[in-house]
Amino acid sequence: MTEPRLTHVDETGAARMVDVSAKAVTAREATAAGRVLVSPEVIDLLRGRGVPKGDAVAVARIAGIAGAKRTPDLVPLCHPIALHGVTVDIDVTDDGVDITATARTADRTGVEMEALTSVAVAGLTMIDMVKAVDPRASITDVRLLRKSGGKSGEWTR
């Protein structure tokens, strides 16, 4: 059995982009989630008349999709891949905003980073939309929930 290693570091310890050219093109999907913790006042605004900047949920959803598409520009060693679908679900709960993003492709490498970036950017956008009302808003629990496709197959948290 081989010892686990960091794939983005070569034998000398230098950062590198992993060569995926020999990998098979397969359907791949990843889902990530996170939360934005906000005040009760923000919850009331999100459920009622809206926040001062506009429809925070709609703006955060679009930002999450845009974030997924820009992942290789934001994460230095991430491969640019053709995204075939990104969905961002936002649920206003009694104590925060739950964000779940799913990214899909048929490519040589996975879409985990795209799903995670989608959640993070949607969360940052939500904070930007509500910061006038709640400067203490914070993002928490950004994590991968599941992935499928490729050589390693299915993984679920």
Side-chain angles (χ1 to χ4, degrees), residues 15 31 36 57 82 88 98 102 104 136 138 143:
T31 300
V36 179
V57 171
V88 179
D98 290 338
T102 299
R104 289 171 217 74
R136 295 182 61 177
S138 63
R143 67 222 181 266

Side-chain angles (χ1 to χ4, degrees), residues 34-47 57 90-99 126:
R35 302 199 76 217
V36 179
L37 302 177
V38 296
S39 67
E41 293 80 18
V42 168
I43 298 300
D44 290 343
L45 289 170
L46 291 172
R47 289 181 170 163
V57 171
I90 298 178
D91 183 34
V92 179
T93 68
D94 288 341
D95 63 345
V97 179
D98 290 338
I99 303 168
M126 181 61 68

Side-chain angles (χ1 to χ4, degrees), residues 47-109:
R47 289 181 170 163
R49 59 184 165 84
V51 297
K53 282 187 160 184
D55 186 346
V57 171
V59 173
R61 182 178 293 114
I62 294 198
I65 293 167
K69 294 168 68 173
R70 299 301 299 250
T71 299
D73 296 329
L74 300 169
V75 181
L77 301 176
C78 193
H79 293 87
I81 61 173
L83 283 175
H84 295 142
V86 178
T87 58
V88 179
D89 296 315
I90 298 178
D91 183 34
V92 179
T93 68
D94 288 341
D95 63 345
V97 179
D98 290 338
I99 303 168
T100 305
T102 299
R104 289 171 217 74
T105 191
D107 215 318
R108 289 181 163 84
T109 191

